Each structure stands twice: as structure tokens, then as C-alpha cells.
Amino acid sequence: MTNQLGVHALVFSGGTTPSEMEYIIGETKKAGFDLLELSLHDAANLDVPAARAALDAAGLGIVCSRGLAFAADVSSDDPAVVAKGAELLHYSLGVTHQLGGTHFTGALYSALGKYGHALTTAGRANVVATLKDLAVEAEALDMTLGLEICNRYETNVINTAADALRLADDIGHDNVLIHLDSYHMNIEEDDFVRPVHLVGDRLGYVHIGENHRGYLGSGHLDFTSFFHALADISYTGPITFESFSSAVVSPTLSNDLAIWRNLWNDGPALAAHSKNYLTTMIEGTRAH
Ligand code: MN
């Protein structure tokens, strides 16, 4: 198997205090994953050197992700709000690097939340200018940026693979890659095959989540088609399981993602199931 398999930290814990990180890293390893995805929404409570040491000791890779906020939003028309968003991005890229990560992804281009209007021309230009700068900074650190395509209720900047490719073209740096998420694709795309073929070798990261973000296999998403499409393009990058339940809450991210429902209670049991599910899917759908 060539894809590294990851799990989102919110399967285990909503915060990133030292004791929470110890638990998250231990459970990620126990479930057999190769890497941990950590949202930087709680970076203020993160002991970065300690987390890096614990990741290294466990032999785990790290990917960091985040969305911005309406008060710190690089898609805004207001230069002061854009500047705050840019500051958050540069800070977060630095944290990712200090943790030993080479991939920083997510809604790096807007707040995570429902916009009351379409993206403006000025706002889009601000996204492009900010991410050009961030891409240059990332290149110097040998890092890549991911543009996670999110649904219309979480952003107005990129909702489809075609939108994301146009944005990446305008940013114009090879280290800006596309991040597909099955949960968002289910809402916005025609199917699970065409977007994968469209993105092709510019795909850098994948989130696997069910239509309701619960147990894989308990919803209606056509993962067989999605994994076949990933095999079609010989995708060898990371594949990370993402799931959220009201049982594990982040005071900020859970609200941004509208996590109101209890879909599971036992994070470690969920993680073990998803590791098996992903392994089975990849093995079953690759070329034999
Ligand atoms: Mn996602």
C-alpha cells in the first residue's frame, strides 16, 4: 500500500493541551495510522516542541489544517480583515513546520461558515494575493499548501474541483495542491469520479468522511467509485479519515462545522473501524 493513512484528531479529543495531545497521539498509533491531522484552531494551547517529540517517538507523520474566521478572512473586501487572516496563515504555516509537517491544508482561503453573499471580485483577488505570498514562504520550507474544497454552507470561495483548479492556476505555484473531501463532494459535485479525473496529478490530499460525517459504511456515499477513481489517477498521497460527533467537542471548530449530532461515542473504536475500512477499500479497488 502506498498511501499514507491518517486520522483527524477530533476523532479523539477536541483540544490540544499536553494531556490531550498525549492521548490523541497514543490512540492514533494504536489504531495503526501513519499520520495525524491536527486542526490548528486550538494552537494557543499547543506545546509545539512536546507534540513534535511525541509524534517522532510514535513514528507518526503530521498534517495541519485549519479554516479562517470571519474576523480574520483573506476573502474579505476589508484590508484589515485580510491582514488578520494572512497573519493567521503565516503563523499556522510556521507551527506546521515546527511540528515537522510538510503539508498545510484546509479552508486556507476563507472563514468556515455560511456567507450571506457570493464571493466578490476584490475578495477573490485578496485570496490570490495572500496565497501567492504563503506559497512562496512554503516553498522556502519545502512545504505544500492544500486547497480543501468545501461545500456552499462552509465557504463561498471554492465549492467544486473546477473552482479549486481555477484558484490554484491564479495563485500559480506548483506547491499549491488540491484537497478533495468526500463529504463536501457529495453536496457539490456531479459524482465521485469526474472531479478526481479532473484534478489528476494536482491532487495532494484526501479526506474520507461519510455524508453525515459518522461511521464509514453507515451512510450512502459511493466510496467504491471514489477509490476506483483514486486508483485511476494513481494517487499515492495521504488519505485521512475525518469524522465528528457531539461526543467530542472543540469549542470553536465543532460550531464552525455544525456538529450538533451524536453519531458515535467511542473515538478509538471508530478509529479502528475506519482504519480497517480504508485499508479494505484501497486494497479492493486498486488494479489487480
Ligand atoms: Mn475535510
Side-chain angles (χ1 to χ4, degrees):
M1 189 183 299
T2 53
N3 304 95
Q4 282 199 308
L5 298 184
V7 62
H8 195 286
L10 245 100
V11 165
F12 304 115
S13 186
T16 59
T17 61
S19 63
E20 287 172 301
M21 286 305 297
E22 189 183 337
Y23 176 66
I24 290 166
I25 290 167
E27 292 299 328
T28 298
K29 185 70 183 172
K30 210 181 289 177
F33 286 96
D34 306 302
L35 64 87
L36 171 68
E37 178 175 328
L38 188 65
S39 168
L40 295 179
H41 66 275
D42 188 39
N45 288 316
L46 182 63
D47 180 337
V48 174
R52 179 170 188 162
L55 287 162
D56 288 348
L60 288 175
I62 179 89
V63 169
C64 292
S65 59
R66 78 165 310 135
L68 300 176
F70 286 108
D73 178 0
V74 301
S75 76
S76 171
D77 288 1
D78 180 341
V81 173
V82 173
K84 281 188 191 143
E87 195 182 319
L88 202 52
L89 288 174
H90 290 288
Y91 163 75
S92 301
L93 184 74
V95 170
T96 306
H97 182 63
Q98 288 159 24
L99 284 169
T102 59
H103 201 65
F104 176 45
T105 189
L108 306 183
Y109 46 75
S110 79
L112 269 181
K114 187 175 182 306
Y115 282 77
H117 56 84
L119 177 66
T120 64
T121 304
R124 191 176 188 282
N126 290 334
V127 171
V128 170
T130 305
L131 291 184
K132 271 182 195 281
D133 288 348
L134 194 70
V136 169
E137 190 181 335
E139 260 164 14
L141 299 170
D142 214 12
M143 293 175 71
T144 62
L145 304 179
L147 301 177
E148 179 171 10
I149 303 158
C150 295
N151 73 74
R152 68 189 72 186
Y153 306 109
E154 295 184 25
T155 185
N156 61 4
V157 176
I158 49 172
N159 297 142
T160 65
D163 288 343
L165 288 167
R166 277 191 294 271
L167 183 62
D169 285 344
D170 291 347
I171 295 164
H173 287 270
D174 290 344
N175 64 330
V176 178
L177 297 173
I178 307 301
H179 169 170
L180 289 172
D181 179 319
S182 58
Y183 164 78
H184 298 294
M185 291 170 76
N186 174 59
I187 298 172
E188 302 292 351
E189 303 282 4
D190 296 339
D191 61 25
F192 286 102
V193 175
R194 295 171 74 185
V196 175
H197 290 175
L198 185 66
V199 172
D201 63 6
R202 297 169 74 182
L203 185 61
Y205 200 65
V206 170
H207 273 163
I208 297 294
E210 262 291 3
N211 60 284
H212 48 33
R213 311 200 96 158
Y215 260 75
L216 296 179
S218 72
H220 65 72
L221 296 198
D222 181 4
F223 288 119
T224 302
S225 290
F226 190 38
F227 278 91
H228 270 139
L230 294 173
D232 290 344
I233 64 161
S234 302
Y235 177 69
T236 57
I239 297 175
T240 292
F241 172 59
E242 204 173 38
S243 182
F244 305 97
S245 168
S246 57
V248 177
V249 168
S250 141
T252 52
L253 187 61
S254 297
N255 290 341
D256 290 348
L257 300 179
I259 306 307
W260 319 135
R261 287 168 63 193
N262 182 299
L263 286 149
W264 44 261
N265 287 302
D266 186 337
L270 173 80
H273 172 269
S274 67
K275 172 64 168 52
N276 283 335
Y277 193 97
L278 294 177
T279 303
T280 301
M281 270 289 162
I282 291 168
E283 180 60 22
T285 54
R286 72 183 176 87
H288 290 281

